[in-house]
Amino acid sequence: KEVAKLLQLKNLKLGGSEVSGKKKDTSFTLKTPKGTKDWCDKDVVLREHIFSTVTEIFKRHGGVTLDTPVFELKEILSGKYGEDSKLIYDLKDQGGELCSLRYDLTVPFARWLAMNPKVTSIKRFHIAKVYRRDQPAMTKGRMREFYQCDFDIAGNYDPMIPDSEALKVLVEALDALEVGNYTIKLNHRKILDGIFTVCGVPDDKIRTISSAVDKLDKLPWEDVRREMVVEKGLKEEVADKIKEYVLLKGDRSLLDKLEADSLLSSNSSAVAAFNDMRLLFDYLEAFGVLDRFSFDMSLARGLDYYTGIIYEAVTEASAPKIKSSAEKKKSADPEADRSNDDSIGVGSIAAGGRYDNLVGMFAAKKNAKIPCVGISLGLERIFSILRSKIPDEDIRANDVDVFVMAFGGGKEWTGFLKERMSVCKDLWANGIKAEFLYKVKPKPRQQFDAADKFDVPFAVILGQDEFAKGSVRIKQMGLKENSDEGQLVPREEMVSVLKKLLKYD
Amino acid sequence: KEVAKLLQLKNLKLGGSEVSGKKKDTSFTLKTPKGTKDWCDKDVVLREHIFSTVTEIFKRHGGVTLDTPVFELKEILSGKYGEDSKLIYDLKDQGGELCSLRYDLTVPFARWLAMNPKVTSIKRFHIAKVYRRDQPAMTKGRMREFYQCDFDIAGNYDPMIPDSEALKVLVEALDALEVGNYTIKLNHRKILDGIFTVCGVPDDKIRTISSAVDKLDKLPWEDVRREMVVEKGLKEEVADKIKEYVLLKGDRSLLDKLEADSLLSSNSSAVAAFNDMRLLFDYLEAFGVLDRFSFDMSLARGLDYYTGIIYEAVTEASAPKIKSSAEKKKSADPEADRSNDDSIGVGSIAAGGRYDNLVGMFAAKKNAKIPCVGISLGLERIFSILRSKIPDEDIRANDVDVFVMAFGGGKEWTGFLKERMSVCKDLWANGIKAEFLYKVKPKPRQQFDAADKFDVPFAVILGQDEFAKGSVRIKQMGLKENSDEGQLVPREEMVSVLKKLLKYD
């Protein structure tokens, strides 16, 4: 009995908000699936603001939309995500093809490019939900269903030019969203691979050691070293050599330092990457955004498909606290929500990199490689930062301009329902957002309350006598009670007066 | 061998566009899952136009967005869709909750209302994909993944006022989209149920007989009668009585006729519905849209949850041809695409109705009923009508305003890459959509071709000498070759000149 109660309590803490509901003979829990949520009210207004802000910037740089299905053939996704493939959601086999929900927007984009060989270059953006069966931490924006806002540039171009524009787009987006102080960590897979090679990491361990290094933003070096040596069987002296490199970070002067390193400059992969970085820094300077970047050797990125530069944007608010694994309380239940675990920050708010071989993995012809570079902004993480910054009263839950009301009384009083409908009809026909109360004979108080609920800025009042004489009263709302009687205008002038007040046209 | 070839051919005809791809040792088909497609290029521009048109109208009527997860707990969807429940996509059981992809946007909306008892009224819209494992007919907009654009009004109000506004919204949307001539068929579930009752249909057969009647837009009466009598065991004389009513259609005068019918006016359910219809016709008249409606006794709608008025918008282009079942070639393969089956029209382009009990099915408290009425526009069907009407050249695939070019030559010529970047930076900072070619030293022809590909209206040309002297050349594109040299303007005036040309601000 006690156990059942606990289980019930636990159940209530998971997933989105929920209410337990029992209905007749069937009993079920009224909730959204774990790790998912409904978007409504002011949250959705802020979300739309984020979407429209980034969409405008993506279009400003020539981006066009591509939309792909929410699920893909299972085989399209397999072998693309390394260790994280276990987090892919599959559809049930109901006969026909085996499908999985998309894990990101990048692999579907590459699949589309391979399927459309006539398209050899494109700047595409895609804002859509992706799905990962991960442990959720809802209030920190870690969800199982979440939005990515991707902008990618595909095509064969002179080196680092598209890379620099992708990063310029990222800076413009983060600036326009006003996420606060942020840094974009920048690294190059080929420098990192060069480091691992010259330090003596065997080729077949490079990706797994890279994954360990990627945890340096969450764990102290000692923990990462232990993972390399104990879990992954790296020699101690190799790990110690790696430390000398991966803790380095700085501005473009770090590039000079790395180039001067005799060991690293003997590695052809690293040398090629140095040239890339030199060009990139030049171009970022021409775009006026160089100061936003930190050249950071500890940035490795988990995904397998990156082949060139990689990057990750973090804000103070989003960076996780670094805690050793010993300090971390390990949750026994992998299904539990970890919103209250302060070792989890919001994480990076945007990330990306160059991936030159992904399209080739799908293409029928061997030479059908299309190099790509892209950025991905995490909506939920940006949202959780902005939601806590912006005062609630600064967000209007709807956009209505005018509430159409009727005032009157006495035996003859009809409530002017059809008259209100007809006035609304005229407003709508002129693009003015208007509502009226769905009552035949509404009281003035009810109508004011309905208008105030959404801070509607103007009322059009149909007075029993005034309207009969062909006039309506336009009143500004939100003023002190009785401080303004509004202005009486002939009905045929109502629209033009309102358009001026609302600053339309 | 012959069979394998046929199977391969068949496979190629299914689903979205596809290209077979073999890669190294793994072989797979490069395609989107059956019944799904990618949206790109001009299609996606037209689609966005449809979305923004309806969104503007929804907001004009006070609509707010609600977004729900793409999947719901399986038990939320069960028992809501009658015979169509078999078309629901389930997620694989990978441990944890059992989930299904949403089948429509209405049930998730009702679930949300039940979960948020503080919300007793709302006008919400939701534009999103829904999922049905149905037999696809891709070119006619019948997909397994498709968009619905829903607008619903929830709350306890005076009768038929929200109903009439929902229908006004539908008319505004179809008018604004310019779908061509359309009719909105209108009926009332309670009139229909009254008809069935007075004709002698047993209570437990009402829903299934209603489903048969709903096929009258695709089948002749004889076929529907056969279904009722042979398949569903209805008495012949009952079926013949039904015929006298369900073939009736007309304008509001049909209501007088029905009210004068002594049999029908003895049924209290029908009488209540007559009062609803009288109010509705009045209100639709006040909104100035009455002429768009056809009061049609054959409209029944498949879904179980409707309780009041129901409606369906059809255009000439979207109406299916009526063919008897004998004429129809039955496809042996239920997975086959039926795009070439001319007995399938695009179908209704929008539909909806009142559903007063759906929220109550989820709510914990018995009295927590919230009556709702709503409309749902089918994006793919509207898209397929508009796409065939609008000439390809009237749709621009991207929005870019300015292409920034460099012209020069000789030994000293650098290609002005950083200069082009810097000029773009200034344009972007002023909200002007601009691109440049990702080449260090591009040829004039290459730059013009890139600009022409997307009909970019203006070029900013950095001439080798002119730019060194502080000026750029602004040239209108798309004119006859050499007919215009453009205007040379000081660099610091470039933005203001372009804003004027582009009619910004």
Side-chain angles (χ1 to χ4, degrees), chain A residues 125-144:
Chain A
F125 69 93
H126 192 184
I127 297 177
K129 288 172 173 177
V130 300
Y131 300 87
R132 300 183 186 179
R133 292 181 53 81
D134 211 345
Q135 194 174 10
M138 306 283 292
T139 57
K140 288 175 179 152
R142 283 179 175 257
M143 314 277 293
R144 290 182 161 195

Side-chain angles (χ1 to χ4, degrees), chain B residues 88-383:
Chain B
I88 293 174
Y89 275 97
D90 292 328
L91 293 191
K92 189 171 159 183
D93 182 359
Q94 293 171 290
E97 302 159 339
L98 292 181
C99 299
S100 304
L101 297 186
R102 63 182 164 216
Y103 182 87
D104 65 10
L105 303 175
T106 311
V107 168
F109 173 50
R111 188 265 306 147
W112 178 84
L113 280 168
M115 257 176 75
N116 293 274
K118 278 186 194 162
V119 179
T120 54
S121 70
I122 190 171
K123 292 178 184 173
R124 89 86 174 77
F125 69 93
H126 191 184
I127 298 177
K129 288 172 174 176
V130 300
Y131 299 87
R132 299 183 186 179
R133 292 181 54 81
D134 210 344
Q135 195 174 12
M138 305 282 293
T139 58
K140 287 172 179 155
R142 283 179 175 256
M143 315 277 294
R144 289 182 160 192
E145 177 189 60
F146 59 98
Y147 278 95
Q148 290 190 331
C149 311
D150 280 24
F151 178 90
D152 293 78
I153 303 173
N156 277 290
Y157 298 112
D158 282 350
M160 307 317 286
I161 310 178
D163 309 63
S164 61
E165 184 162 350
L167 288 169
K168 166 71 172 156
V169 169
L170 179 55
V171 169
E172 282 187 31
L174 296 178
D175 285 352
L177 290 168
E178 302 181 71
V179 292
N181 285 328
Y182 65 89
T183 305
I184 304 173
K185 298 184 201 174
L186 184 63
N187 201 358
H188 197 299
R189 268 278 163 94
K190 286 182 180 152
I191 297 181
L192 210 53
D193 290 356
I195 290 171
F196 295 139
T197 303
V198 301
C199 290
V201 178
D203 276 359
D204 62 343
K205 284 210 163 94
I206 283 187
R207 278 282 72 77
T208 186
I209 294 304
S210 182
S211 292
V213 167
D214 197 48
K215 294 174 187 161
L216 279 171
D217 59 342
K218 301 182 202 81
L219 297 175
W221 167 254
E222 283 313 311
D223 281 20
V224 171
R225 185 181 187 279
R226 190 176 312 119
E227 180 178 330
M228 290 175 172
V229 174
V230 180
E231 290 174 38
K232 298 183 167 168
L234 198 69
K235 285 185 196 156
E236 297 207 348
E237 61 270 30
V238 174
D240 295 333
K241 247 192 200 164
I242 290 174
K243 182 186 177 187
E244 285 169 38
Y245 291 102
V246 296
L247 296 185
L248 296 174
K249 59 181 150 187
D251 56 19
R252 74 188 289 176
S253 65
L254 174 56
L255 183 59
D256 303 325
K257 195 171 160 186
L258 294 173
E259 285 193 286
D261 185 282
S262 59
L263 201 58
L264 211 47
S265 58
S266 71
N267 179 281
S268 63
S269 164
V271 169
F274 293 153
N275 292 333
D276 280 353
M277 292 307 293
R278 192 160 296 282
L279 282 175
L280 182 67
F281 286 134
D282 273 1
Y283 298 159
L284 292 176
E285 193 170 40
F287 281 142
V289 294
L290 184 57
D291 59 330
R292 308 311 179 92
F293 293 86
S294 166
F295 190 25
D296 187 331
M297 292 300 109
S298 73
L299 178 74
R301 306 274 306 132
L303 292 171
D304 281 356
Y305 51 63
Y306 292 118
T307 54
I309 60 162
I310 47 179
Y311 31 87
E312 216 172 81
V314 287
T315 71
E316 279 165 40
S318 74
K321 286 186 192 166
I322 294 189
K323 271 193 176 183
S324 74
S325 52
E327 286 175 87
K328 283 191 190 177
K329 281 165 265 165
K330 283 240 169 103
S331 167
D333 180 5
E335 294 274 293
D337 185 280
R338 296 195 297 167
S339 289
N340 297 320
D341 180 347
D342 68 2
S343 71
I344 302 178
V346 170
S348 65
I349 53 173
R354 172 163 286 282
Y355 49 102
D356 285 348
N357 300 330
L358 194 56
V359 179
M361 288 174 77
F362 293 113
K365 289 183 200 159
K366 270 206 172 149
N367 55 349
K369 265 180 146 183
I370 301 182
C372 302
V373 64
I375 58 170
S376 180
L377 287 97
L379 178 271
E380 278 76 5
R381 297 173 182 199
I382 291 168
F383 174 87

Side-chain angles (χ1 to χ4, degrees), chain A residues 31 38 67 97 111 158 440, chain B residues 31 38 97 111 158 440:
Chain A
K31 63 185 281 292
D38 296 318
D67 179 34
E97 302 158 338
R111 189 265 307 148
D158 283 350
V440 175
Chain B
K31 63 185 282 291
D38 296 316
E97 302 159 339
R111 188 265 306 147
D158 282 350
V440 175

Side-chain angles (χ1 to χ4, degrees), chain A residues 248-399:
Chain A
L248 295 173
K249 59 180 150 188
D251 57 19
R252 75 188 288 176
S253 66
L254 174 57
L255 183 58
D256 303 324
K257 195 172 161 184
L258 295 173
E259 286 193 284
D261 184 284
S262 58
L263 201 59
L264 211 49
S265 59
S266 70
N267 179 281
S268 63
S269 163
V271 169
F274 293 154
N275 292 331
D276 280 354
M277 292 306 293
R278 192 160 297 282
L279 281 174
L280 182 67
F281 286 134
D282 273 3
Y283 298 159
L284 292 177
E285 193 170 40
F287 280 141
V289 294
L290 185 57
D291 59 329
R292 308 309 178 95
F293 293 86
S294 166
F295 191 25
D296 187 332
M297 291 300 107
S298 73
L299 178 73
R301 306 277 303 134
L303 292 170
D304 281 356
Y305 52 63
Y306 291 119
T307 55
I309 59 163
I310 47 179
Y311 31 86
E312 215 172 84
V314 287
T315 70
E316 280 165 40
S318 74
K321 286 187 192 165
I322 294 190
K323 271 194 178 183
S324 72
S325 50
E327 285 175 89
K328 283 192 186 172
K329 281 164 265 163
K330 283 239 168 101
S331 165
D333 179 6
E335 294 272 295
D337 185 280
R338 295 195 298 167
S339 289
N340 296 322
D341 180 347
D342 67 3
S343 72
I344 302 176
V346 170
S348 65
I349 53 172
R354 172 163 283 285
Y355 50 102
D356 286 348
N357 300 330
L358 193 57
V359 180
M361 287 173 76
F362 293 112
K365 288 184 202 160
K366 269 204 173 152
N367 55 349
K369 267 178 145 183
I370 300 182
C372 301
V373 64
I375 58 170
S376 180
L377 288 96
L379 179 272
E380 278 76 5
R381 296 172 182 201
I382 291 167
F383 173 86
S384 74
I385 291 170
L386 296 186
R387 193 70 178 96
S388 63
K389 274 176 63 175
I390 301 173
D392 217 48
E393 56 271 26
D394 287 6
I395 306 174
R396 257 192 84 191
N398 87 8
D399 270 350

